[in-house]
Structures are given as C-alpha cells and as structure tokens.
Amino acid sequence: MCKVEERKRKRAERAVKRRKAERLARRTQLDTKPTKVAQEVAQAVSEMKTVVTYDDLDGDQLLAYHGIHTWWDTQKRIGGVAEPLTVGGFAGTGKSTLLSIALPALKNPDGSDVKVKYCAYTGKASNVLMQKGLPAQTMHSLIYDCVPNGDTVDFVLKHKDDVDAQLIVVDEASMIPDEMRQDLESLGIPILYTGDHGQLPPVAGVGNVMADPIFKLEQPHRQALESGIIEVATNVRNRKRVKVGVYGKNKDAEVVRSRVINDTERLAAADMVICYTNKKREQLNRVIRKYKGFEGTYPQVGEKLICVRNNKNTRMFNGLVLYVKAIKEEGGYLVMDLVDEVGNEYLNIKAFTNYFEGADHPKIFGRTLFDVFEFAYAITGHKSQGSQWDNVIVVEEVMYRQTMDIKRRWNYTALTRAVKKLTWILK
C-alpha cells in the first residue's frame, strides 16, 4: 500500500510541475519584451566562440587528418624530405577547420611542436588565412630577401635556415607561378599545398598542383549550406539549376535577371564586379568609373587598379588589386604610390600608359622595372582567383568555345569570391 501511495504522490508532483511549466511557457510567449537577464544571456550566447576539436571532424576530414600525420611522421622516421602533399577542399567543406586542428597537432620525433609557416601567393589570400587565426604572409616575403642594387632592389631566394620553418603550408596553391614554386621546393623544406580543386585551372605558364589533390574534401557541412553563397556555388558545381531568387538563412545570395546589369548604382556599390570577357570588363569599368565621378585618361587618386603581369623585381603580381594614393606622369610613364587591399604600400611604382591611352599592353622581354595596370572596378573571373571580397556581383556571359566543365568551374570560382553578399546576374 505504501508503494501505491508513493507512486500517486510522485505522479501528483509531476502534474504540478507540468502545469507550472505550461503556465511559464504561455507567459513567455505573451511577453514580447525580453527581460534584461534574458537579453544578457542571448548576447552572451551570440558572442560565444565554439572551440572545434578533433572529435568534430568527420568523413573526408578524418581521412585527410590522418593522411597529413602519416605523411609527416613517415618522413621524420626514415629521414629526408617527402614529396609535397596536396589537400583540396570545395567551399564549405571545412578545409580551414581541418588545417587548424591537424597542423598544430603535428610533433617532431623528440615530442616538440612543429614550426609551421603559412603563406599564400597574394596578400589578400594571406589575409584571409590570418582572419581564420593562422599567422600567414605572402610567399614572396617568406622565401625572398630584398637586396639593394643601385636605385632598385633585387629579390634573392633565402637560405633554408633564414626561412626558419620545419613545414610550409601554401594556400591557393594553384596560383603560384612555376618559377616561384621551383624556388620554394628547392629549399628542401616539407611543403603542404592546399586549395579548392573545384576552381578554374590556372592560366598558361602555371603548373596546377591542385588539379588532382591527394586528399579531397568534397562534402559541404550542413552549417555551411546555411550560407546562400555556399548553397548557390555548390548547386552550380553539382550541375543543379539555380533559379532567380534569394538564398541562404541570412539571405546573403541573390540570383537576378539580366536587366539588373543596367543598375549602375548597384554595380558601383559592390566591392568587386566579376565578368567573363575583357570586352564586358572594359564596358563595366567605364560605366562605374563615370558613376563614381572619375574622368580623364589616367587613373586618379582613390581609383582602384589591378596589376595584370607578374614582376618579381617590383613585387607586383598578376591579380593584385591596389588603390592609388599619389600619381604623376614622368618621362612618358606613370609614377604612383599604391596601397593594396590589406594595407601594404608600394611606393614610386612605374607603370606603362599604353592601356589607359587605349592601346594594347607593351610586349616585355626579360627584366623590367615597369608594371602593367588596368582599372579594377570590374575584373575577369581568372583575375579574381586567390582573392575574396565582402560584396561581389557576378555577371554571367555566354562562354563561346568553352566546355561545360570550364563553364561550371568559372561560375563556381567567381561565385565563391563573395564573403558576405553575392549577386549573380544571369545572362
């Protein structure tokens, strides 16, 4: 009898608690103004940073994690330097997360931490790594010394000891020119190349080390697909049709009809407009430049330019976006002070005027201290590789004589240049 009464008592207590919970829930739903405590809790939760660990890795990430460690441990056990390792990852598959967990966990045979140096070909790409918590620099500054030579400087490959690294990690690796990659590998330091193997192949003269990476991350995480940018880009890569509309939990991607190309105000507000042909690029640059109030043949202070030719002698490289701080014409050339998108300054840069005067770029043979620039309110998809911008507009065009694979890769590459906001103008 006592047991029966005890069960009745517990049921009664549970019923009371349930009714209290229901009343509290109703009051919470009716109260549209959260209390100060509730506001503070919500703010604390929103600001809380989740610590990701090995236990959070899954699938392809785990295979790559153990592959990186096996590659490292094997060469340390048998001696020598192994062939460079390649790890590729589509947008949203957690490549940066993998590296942030796998690399700090590497150990030397004596149990000490491995000294890792991170770099990328462009300053913008290295800045992206820094924003993800990885101390990075440009490959140029990592492996070359600036040696004065009269009025100029020479860039000389550093000695292995001066690089001071046991492992070099190179992001956006497909963009590295052959000559620079050969210099890097000649140092005799283990190298891990990373990048997105779904992007466009590099331009002629650049060997694509990311064409078929040894380890591949190809499954976007569910959280990543909450981004409209990742959703749209992933659908394109998977050959799925993308309709006009707004995408993403935060509505960060919009696919619009071709008439939006006439909205100059919207074009001018973007951090970068990306198109396919040079003809469209030049047209868009004229329209946006005029809308922003810039006139005249040559660039003016505040204008945005892009370098279109590699020049190791001046630290200029194909795809570097810069802003004009000062400019003058001198001896038939332009002399400019420039600053790139991450704040690096380049002083007294001499530039050819041909393009700005409506002519073709000059043909250059051998060493030169003069660089080649174009306006950069709009650029082509190939020039956009290795960089990202907060607000990007992609202009789709007809791609004559291109395979379906190249068309898909072009769209995927251009769309994934956006970080916070994407507008895709269909053709």
PDB file of all heavy atoms in Angstrom, residues 125-154:
ATOM      1  N   ALA A 125      44.944  36.773 -50.153  1.00  0.00           N
ATOM      2  CA  ALA A 125      44.755  35.385 -49.729  1.00  0.00           C
ATOM      3  C   ALA A 125      45.433  35.118 -48.385  1.00  0.00           C
ATOM      4  O   ALA A 125      44.905  34.381 -47.549  1.00  0.00           O
ATOM      5  CB  ALA A 125      45.285  34.423 -50.788  1.00  0.00           C
ATOM      6  N   SER A 126      46.601  35.716 -48.166  1.00  0.00           N
ATOM      7  CA  SER A 126      47.272  35.524 -46.876  1.00  0.00           C
ATOM      8  C   SER A 126      46.488  36.208 -45.760  1.00  0.00           C
ATOM      9  O   SER A 126      46.437  35.719 -44.626  1.00  0.00           O
ATOM     10  CB  SER A 126      48.706  36.064 -46.926  1.00  0.00           C
ATOM     11  OG  SER A 126      48.733  37.457 -47.154  1.00  0.00           O
ATOM     12  N   ASN A 127      45.825  37.318 -46.083  1.00  0.00           N
ATOM     13  CA  ASN A 127      44.996  37.999 -45.090  1.00  0.00           C
ATOM     14  C   ASN A 127      43.783  37.150 -44.719  1.00  0.00           C
ATOM     15  O   ASN A 127      43.347  37.143 -43.565  1.00  0.00           O
ATOM     16  CB  ASN A 127      44.535  39.351 -45.628  1.00  0.00           C
ATOM     17  CG  ASN A 127      43.902  40.214 -44.556  1.00  0.00           C
ATOM     18  OD1 ASN A 127      44.502  40.466 -43.516  1.00  0.00           O
ATOM     19  ND2 ASN A 127      42.679  40.661 -44.789  1.00  0.00           N
ATOM     20  N   VAL A 128      43.232  36.424 -45.689  1.00  0.00           N
ATOM     21  CA  VAL A 128      42.125  35.511 -45.408  1.00  0.00           C
ATOM     22  C   VAL A 128      42.559  34.454 -44.396  1.00  0.00           C
ATOM     23  O   VAL A 128      41.814  34.103 -43.475  1.00  0.00           O
ATOM     24  CB  VAL A 128      41.614  34.851 -46.711  1.00  0.00           C
ATOM     25  CG1 VAL A 128      40.632  33.726 -46.401  1.00  0.00           C
ATOM     26  CG2 VAL A 128      40.954  35.887 -47.614  1.00  0.00           C
ATOM     27  N   LEU A 129      43.776  33.930 -44.562  1.00  0.00           N
ATOM     28  CA  LEU A 129      44.299  32.951 -43.608  1.00  0.00           C
ATOM     29  C   LEU A 129      44.423  33.560 -42.216  1.00  0.00           C
ATOM     30  O   LEU A 129      44.084  32.917 -41.208  1.00  0.00           O
ATOM     31  CB  LEU A 129      45.667  32.436 -44.065  1.00  0.00           C
ATOM     32  CG  LEU A 129      45.701  31.524 -45.291  1.00  0.00           C
ATOM     33  CD1 LEU A 129      47.150  31.223 -45.672  1.00  0.00           C
ATOM     34  CD2 LEU A 129      44.953  30.231 -45.020  1.00  0.00           C
ATOM     35  N   MET A 130      44.895  34.805 -42.144  1.00  0.00           N
ATOM     36  CA  MET A 130      45.052  35.463 -40.847  1.00  0.00           C
ATOM     37  C   MET A 130      43.707  35.661 -40.164  1.00  0.00           C
ATOM     38  O   MET A 130      43.586  35.530 -38.945  1.00  0.00           O
ATOM     39  CB  MET A 130      45.779  36.796 -41.021  1.00  0.00           C
ATOM     40  CG  MET A 130      47.260  36.648 -41.337  1.00  0.00           C
ATOM     41  SD  MET A 130      48.173  38.211 -41.324  1.00  0.00           S
ATOM     42  CE  MET A 130      47.681  38.907 -42.896  1.00  0.00           C
ATOM     43  N   GLN A 131      42.667  35.967 -40.949  1.00  0.00           N
ATOM     44  CA  GLN A 131      41.332  36.132 -40.378  1.00  0.00           C
ATOM     45  C   GLN A 131      40.801  34.823 -39.813  1.00  0.00           C
ATOM     46  O   GLN A 131      39.908  34.819 -38.967  1.00  0.00           O
ATOM     47  CB  GLN A 131      40.376  36.677 -41.444  1.00  0.00           C
ATOM     48  CG  GLN A 131      40.675  38.118 -41.835  1.00  0.00           C
ATOM     49  CD  GLN A 131      39.836  38.595 -43.005  1.00  0.00           C
ATOM     50  OE1 GLN A 131      39.212  37.808 -43.708  1.00  0.00           O
ATOM     51  NE2 GLN A 131      39.812  39.897 -43.204  1.00  0.00           N
ATOM     52  N   LYS A 132      41.341  33.714 -40.284  1.00  0.00           N
ATOM     53  CA  LYS A 132      40.942  32.398 -39.783  1.00  0.00           C
ATOM     54  C   LYS A 132      41.839  31.932 -38.643  1.00  0.00           C
ATOM     55  O   LYS A 132      41.774  30.775 -38.231  1.00  0.00           O
ATOM     56  CB  LYS A 132      40.967  31.383 -40.920  1.00  0.00           C
ATOM     57  CG  LYS A 132      39.926  31.671 -42.008  1.00  0.00           C
ATOM     58  CD  LYS A 132      40.031  30.714 -43.178  1.00  0.00           C
ATOM     59  CE  LYS A 132      38.973  31.024 -44.221  1.00  0.00           C
ATOM     60  NZ  LYS A 132      39.082  30.149 -45.419  1.00  0.00           N
ATOM     61  N   GLY A 133      42.685  32.829 -38.146  1.00  0.00           N
ATOM     62  CA  GLY A 133      43.508  32.509 -36.993  1.00  0.00           C
ATOM     63  C   GLY A 133      44.847  31.890 -37.313  1.00  0.00           C
ATOM     64  O   GLY A 133      45.527  31.398 -36.403  1.00  0.00           O
ATOM     65  N   LEU A 134      45.244  31.886 -38.588  1.00  0.00           N
ATOM     66  CA  LEU A 134      46.524  31.298 -38.974  1.00  0.00           C
ATOM     67  C   LEU A 134      47.517  32.418 -39.311  1.00  0.00           C
ATOM     68  O   LEU A 134      47.254  33.233 -40.192  1.00  0.00           O
ATOM     69  CB  LEU A 134      46.341  30.378 -40.185  1.00  0.00           C
ATOM     70  CG  LEU A 134      45.376  29.209 -39.994  1.00  0.00           C
ATOM     71  CD1 LEU A 134      45.176  28.464 -41.305  1.00  0.00           C
ATOM     72  CD2 LEU A 134      45.881  28.257 -38.922  1.00  0.00           C
ATOM     73  N   PRO A 135      48.654  32.493 -38.626  1.00  0.00           N
ATOM     74  CA  PRO A 135      49.644  33.543 -38.915  1.00  0.00           C
ATOM     75  C   PRO A 135      50.248  33.329 -40.294  1.00  0.00           C
ATOM     76  O   PRO A 135      50.968  32.360 -40.526  1.00  0.00           O
ATOM     77  CB  PRO A 135      50.688  33.358 -37.808  1.00  0.00           C
ATOM     78  CG  PRO A 135      50.549  31.911 -37.411  1.00  0.00           C
ATOM     79  CD  PRO A 135      49.102  31.561 -37.575  1.00  0.00           C
ATOM     80  N   ALA A 136      49.950  34.217 -41.238  1.00  0.00           N
ATOM     81  CA  ALA A 136      50.342  33.984 -42.627  1.00  0.00           C
ATOM     82  C   ALA A 136      51.020  35.217 -43.211  1.00  0.00           C
ATOM     83  O   ALA A 136      50.934  36.320 -42.677  1.00  0.00           O
ATOM     84  CB  ALA A 136      49.120  33.609 -43.466  1.00  0.00           C
ATOM     85  N   GLN A 137      51.690  34.993 -44.329  1.00  0.00           N
ATOM     86  CA  GLN A 137      52.331  36.064 -45.081  1.00  0.00           C
ATOM     87  C   GLN A 137      52.331  35.676 -46.548  1.00  0.00           C
ATOM     88  O   GLN A 137      51.940  34.566 -46.904  1.00  0.00           O
ATOM     89  CB  GLN A 137      53.757  36.286 -44.565  1.00  0.00           C
ATOM     90  CG  GLN A 137      54.667  35.074 -44.722  1.00  0.00           C
ATOM     91  CD  GLN A 137      55.959  35.203 -43.943  1.00  0.00           C
ATOM     92  OE1 GLN A 137      56.141  34.557 -42.928  1.00  0.00           O
ATOM     93  NE2 GLN A 137      56.868  36.035 -44.420  1.00  0.00           N
ATOM     94  N   THR A 138      52.761  36.599 -47.397  1.00  0.00           N
ATOM     95  CA  THR A 138      52.852  36.247 -48.810  1.00  0.00           C
ATOM     96  C   THR A 138      54.043  35.315 -49.020  1.00  0.00           C
ATOM     97  O   THR A 138      55.033  35.361 -48.274  1.00  0.00           O
ATOM     98  CB  THR A 138      53.029  37.487 -49.695  1.00  0.00           C
ATOM     99  OG1 THR A 138      54.276  38.117 -49.369  1.00  0.00           O
ATOM    100  CG2 THR A 138      51.886  38.474 -49.489  1.00  0.00           C
ATOM    101  N   MET A 139      53.947  34.489 -50.030  1.00  0.00           N
ATOM    102  CA  MET A 139      55.058  33.599 -50.334  1.00  0.00           C
ATOM    103  C   MET A 139      56.308  34.404 -50.679  1.00  0.00           C
ATOM    104  O   MET A 139      57.432  34.012 -50.335  1.00  0.00           O
ATOM    105  CB  MET A 139      54.696  32.669 -51.491  1.00  0.00           C
ATOM    106  CG  MET A 139      55.811  31.688 -51.830  1.00  0.00           C
ATOM    107  SD  MET A 139      55.429  30.659 -53.241  1.00  0.00           S
ATOM    108  CE  MET A 139      54.063  29.742 -52.578  1.00  0.00           C
ATOM    109  N   HIS A 140      56.091  35.527 -51.346  1.00  0.00           N
ATOM    110  CA  HIS A 140      57.226  36.361 -51.753  1.00  0.00           C
ATOM    111  C   HIS A 140      58.028  36.803 -50.540  1.00  0.00           C
ATOM    112  O   HIS A 140      59.262  36.711 -50.518  1.00  0.00           O
ATOM    113  CB  HIS A 140      56.702  37.574 -52.528  1.00  0.00           C
ATOM    114  CG  HIS A 140      57.719  38.212 -53.404  1.00  0.00           C
ATOM    115  ND1 HIS A 140      58.734  39.002 -52.905  1.00  0.00           N
ATOM    116  CD2 HIS A 140      57.894  38.179 -54.742  1.00  0.00           C
ATOM    117  CE1 HIS A 140      59.482  39.435 -53.902  1.00  0.00           C
ATOM    118  NE2 HIS A 140      59.001  38.955 -55.023  1.00  0.00           N
ATOM    119  N   SER A 141      57.339  37.302 -49.503  1.00  0.00           N
ATOM    120  CA  SER A 141      58.048  37.779 -48.313  1.00  0.00           C
ATOM    121  C   SER A 141      58.633  36.624 -47.510  1.00  0.00           C
ATOM    122  O   SER A 141      59.615  36.806 -46.786  1.00  0.00           O
ATOM    123  CB  SER A 141      57.104  38.593 -47.428  1.00  0.00           C
ATOM    124  OG  SER A 141      56.046  37.793 -46.943  1.00  0.00           O
ATOM    125  N   LEU A 142      58.058  35.431 -47.635  1.00  0.00           N
ATOM    126  CA  LEU A 142      58.564  34.282 -46.887  1.00  0.00           C
ATOM    127  C   LEU A 142      59.876  33.762 -47.437  1.00  0.00           C
ATOM    128  O   LEU A 142      60.792  33.435 -46.678  1.00  0.00           O
ATOM    129  CB  LEU A 142      57.517  33.160 -46.889  1.00  0.00           C
ATOM    130  CG  LEU A 142      57.935  31.849 -46.206  1.00  0.00           C
ATOM    131  CD1 LEU A 142      58.177  32.071 -44.712  1.00  0.00           C
ATOM    132  CD2 LEU A 142      56.890  30.764 -46.425  1.00  0.00           C
ATOM    133  N   ILE A 143      60.012  33.697 -48.770  1.00  0.00           N
ATOM    134  CA  ILE A 143      61.173  32.986 -49.327  1.00  0.00           C
ATOM    135  C   ILE A 143      62.191  33.900 -50.023  1.00  0.00           C
ATOM    136  O   ILE A 143      63.249  33.417 -50.412  1.00  0.00           O
ATOM    137  CB  ILE A 143      60.728  31.885 -50.309  1.00  0.00           C
ATOM    138  CG1 ILE A 143      60.101  32.480 -51.580  1.00  0.00           C
ATOM    139  CG2 ILE A 143      59.767  30.935 -49.636  1.00  0.00           C
ATOM    140  CD1 ILE A 143      59.812  31.421 -52.652  1.00  0.00           C
ATOM    141  N   TYR A 144      61.907  35.213 -50.153  1.00  0.00           N
ATOM    142  CA  TYR A 144      62.861  36.104 -50.828  1.00  0.00           C
ATOM    143  C   TYR A 144      63.333  37.224 -49.904  1.00  0.00           C
ATOM    144  O   TYR A 144      62.591  37.724 -49.060  1.00  0.00           O
ATOM    145  CB  TYR A 144      62.231  36.735 -52.075  1.00  0.00           C
ATOM    146  CG  TYR A 144      61.907  35.759 -53.185  1.00  0.00           C
ATOM    147  CD1 TYR A 144      60.580  35.492 -53.521  1.00  0.00           C
ATOM    148  CD2 TYR A 144      62.907  35.094 -53.887  1.00  0.00           C
ATOM    149  CE1 TYR A 144      60.262  34.596 -54.533  1.00  0.00           C
ATOM    150  CE2 TYR A 144      62.604  34.188 -54.897  1.00  0.00           C
ATOM    151  CZ  TYR A 144      61.279  33.947 -55.216  1.00  0.00           C
ATOM    152  OH  TYR A 144      60.978  33.051 -56.206  1.00  0.00           O
ATOM    153  N   ASP A 145      64.581  37.620 -50.098  1.00  0.00           N
ATOM    154  CA  ASP A 145      65.154  38.796 -49.449  1.00  0.00           C
ATOM    155  C   ASP A 145      65.235  39.934 -50.456  1.00  0.00           C
ATOM    156  O   ASP A 145      65.485  39.707 -51.646  1.00  0.00           O
ATOM    157  CB  ASP A 145      66.572  38.504 -48.928  1.00  0.00           C
ATOM    158  CG  ASP A 145      66.574  37.851 -47.562  1.00  0.00           C
ATOM    159  OD1 ASP A 145      65.693  38.192 -46.746  1.00  0.00           O
ATOM    160  OD2 ASP A 145      67.448  36.997 -47.319  1.00  0.00           O
ATOM    161  N   CYS A 146      65.018  41.165 -49.961  1.00  0.00           N
ATOM    162  CA  CYS A 146      65.181  42.355 -50.806  1.00  0.00           C
ATOM    163  C   CYS A 146      66.608  42.861 -50.658  1.00  0.00           C
ATOM    164  O   CYS A 146      67.021  43.254 -49.560  1.00  0.00           O
ATOM    165  CB  CYS A 146      64.196  43.450 -50.386  1.00  0.00           C
ATOM    166  SG  CYS A 146      62.470  42.982 -50.538  1.00  0.00           S
ATOM    167  N   VAL A 147      67.356  42.858 -51.749  1.00  0.00           N
ATOM    168  CA  VAL A 147      68.755  43.276 -51.715  1.00  0.00           C
ATOM    169  C   VAL A 147      68.921  44.540 -52.559  1.00  0.00           C
ATOM    170  O   VAL A 147      68.641  44.536 -53.764  1.00  0.00           O
ATOM    171  CB  VAL A 147      69.678  42.163 -52.260  1.00  0.00           C
ATOM    172  CG1 VAL A 147      71.130  42.621 -52.231  1.00  0.00           C
ATOM    173  CG2 VAL A 147      69.501  40.885 -51.440  1.00  0.00           C
ATOM    174  N   PRO A 148      69.347  45.682 -51.959  1.00  0.00           N
ATOM    175  CA  PRO A 148      69.521  46.917 -52.731  1.00  0.00           C
ATOM    176  C   PRO A 148      70.519  46.728 -53.870  1.00  0.00           C
ATOM    177  O   PRO A 148      71.548  46.078 -53.721  1.00  0.00           O
ATOM    178  CB  PRO A 148      70.069  47.912 -51.686  1.00  0.00           C
ATOM    179  CG  PRO A 148      69.636  47.358 -50.366  1.00  0.00           C
ATOM    180  CD  PRO A 148      69.661  45.864 -50.533  1.00  0.00           C
ATOM    181  N   ASN A 149      70.167  47.334 -55.029  1.00  0.00           N
ATOM    182  CA  ASN A 149      71.028  47.266 -56.207  1.00  0.00           C
ATOM    183  C   ASN A 149      70.941  48.613 -56.927  1.00  0.00           C
ATOM    184  O   ASN A 149      70.151  48.779 -57.848  1.00  0.00           O
ATOM    185  CB  ASN A 149      70.604  46.120 -57.115  1.00  0.00           C
ATOM    186  CG  ASN A 149      71.511  45.971 -58.326  1.00  0.00           C
ATOM    187  OD1 ASN A 149      72.544  46.649 -58.448  1.00  0.00           O
ATOM    188  ND2 ASN A 149      71.143  45.100 -59.245  1.00  0.00           N
ATOM    189  N   GLY A 150      71.742  49.566 -56.451  1.00  0.00           N
ATOM    190  CA  GLY A 150      71.670  50.905 -57.011  1.00  0.00           C
ATOM    191  C   GLY A 150      70.345  51.554 -56.657  1.00  0.00           C
ATOM    192  O   GLY A 150      69.970  51.644 -55.485  1.00  0.00           O
ATOM    193  N   ASP A 151      69.632  52.019 -57.680  1.00  0.00           N
ATOM    194  CA  ASP A 151      68.334  52.654 -57.456  1.00  0.00           C
ATOM    195  C   ASP A 151      67.193  51.639 -57.329  1.00  0.00           C
ATOM    196  O   ASP A 151      66.049  52.015 -57.092  1.00  0.00           O
ATOM    197  CB  ASP A 151      68.004  53.617 -58.608  1.00  0.00           C
ATOM    198  CG  ASP A 151      68.986  54.781 -58.670  1.00  0.00           C
ATOM    199  OD1 ASP A 151      69.533  55.135 -57.596  1.00  0.00           O
ATOM    200  OD2 ASP A 151      69.225  55.296 -59.768  1.00  0.00           O
ATOM    201  N   THR A 152      67.502  50.385 -57.484  1.00  0.00           N
ATOM    202  CA  THR A 152      66.461  49.347 -57.434  1.00  0.00           C
ATOM    203  C   THR A 152      66.826  48.309 -56.372  1.00  0.00           C
ATOM    204  O   THR A 152      67.798  48.457 -55.643  1.00  0.00           O
ATOM    205  CB  THR A 152      66.320  48.656 -58.804  1.00  0.00           C
ATOM    206  OG1 THR A 152      67.535  47.959 -59.110  1.00  0.00           O
ATOM    207  CG2 THR A 152      66.029  49.668 -59.899  1.00  0.00           C
ATOM    208  N   VAL A 153      66.016  47.263 -56.298  1.00  0.00           N
ATOM    209  CA  VAL A 153      66.311  46.153 -55.402  1.00  0.00           C
ATOM    210  C   VAL A 153      66.196  44.851 -56.173  1.00  0.00           C
ATOM    211  O   VAL A 153      65.441  44.744 -57.131  1.00  0.00           O
ATOM    212  CB  VAL A 153      65.353  46.117 -54.186  1.00  0.00           C
ATOM    213  CG1 VAL A 153      65.548  47.323 -53.294  1.00  0.00           C
ATOM    214  CG2 VAL A 153      63.899  46.004 -54.641  1.00  0.00           C
ATOM    215  N   ASP A 154      66.987  43.876 -55.765  1.00  0.00           N
ATOM    216  CA  ASP A 154      66.876  42.530 -56.311  1.00  0.00           C
ATOM    217  C   ASP A 154      66.225  41.645 -55.257  1.00  0.00           C
ATOM    218  O   ASP A 154      66.422  41.837 -54.050  1.00  0.00           O
ATOM    219  CB  ASP A 154      68.257  41.966 -56.662  1.00  0.00           C
ATOM    220  CG  ASP A 154      68.892  42.695 -57.840  1.00  0.00           C
ATOM    221  OD1 ASP A 154      68.138  43.193 -58.689  1.00  0.00           O
ATOM    222  OD2 ASP A 154      70.135  42.752 -57.891  1.00  0.00           O
TER     223      ASP A 154
END
